[in-house]
Structure formats: C-alpha cells, structure tokens
Amino acid sequence: MKKIPTSEILRIKEKSFEEAWKYGGELLDDGSTYDLRRIEQPPLGARRTRLNDLIEKMRQRLLELGFDEVINETIFPEADIMKQWGPTGLPYSTDATISLLCLGPTSV
C-alpha cells in the first residue's frame, strides 16, 4: 500500500489548484491501493477552521453532559424509503440495500 503524498499535492496546489486536482485524480487512476491510516502528515502550521473547532468543542461538552451521540444517516435502506414515501419515494439506485430519496420526477 502506498502513502498519499500530501506534501507533493500541497506543493502543486501552490502553483495551480487545477493541476493539483488533476494530480489527485491520476493517483486514484493508477490502480494503486492507498493506506488511509498512513497518510503523510500535513506540514506544521496547517490551518484549522474555527467552525469545526467550535463544533468539536460543543460535541465534547454535550457528551460530557451525558447526551448520547447518534449518526444521522444520509443514505437510507430502500425499505425505509418505501415505508415513509411509498411509490413517490423514487429509488435512485436499484440496489436493494442502498437508495437515495428523490421527492418526485422533476428532482431526478
């Protein structure tokens, strides 16, 4: 398994975002398997977003207060869609386990 060369991607990004985008696509198209646990560390001084920091602090505080954490699914089993929407819940995929909810033929 290969490491994702984040330092190389960031170097290319400084010259051209589009070139970095294309380079990332080439990495995925070369057939290699990348180990996401071994991603190169970003250079020191990488900027974090304040919003994500705030969200994480709020999450930690709510957990400390005893709230349970739940995952809000964005991909739903087809059976659940059909229970709620019936035939108007058009499945995006024919896969029996994964479907996306479409609220009518004009939104497809």
Side-chain angles (χ1 to χ4, degrees), residues 58-70:
M58 291 170 52
R59 177 182 167 270
Q60 291 300 324
R61 185 64 182 127
L62 290 169
L63 289 171
E64 289 169 7
L65 290 171
F67 286 87
D68 290 334
E69 188 169 49
V70 297

Side-chain angles (χ1 to χ4, degrees), residues 76-83 91 93-99:
F76 304 95
E78 188 172 344
D80 291 351
I81 293 172
M82 294 308 286
K83 284 178 191 173
S93 168
T94 57
D95 186 300
T97 58
I98 299 176
S99 295

Side-chain angles (χ1 to χ4, degrees), residues 27-44:
L27 291 175
L28 297 176
D29 287 340
D30 74 359
S32 297
T33 302
Y34 291 93
D35 185 354
L36 297 180
R37 295 168 297 174
R38 293 179 42 205
I39 294 174
E40 290 180 13
Q41 292 299 315
L44 294 178

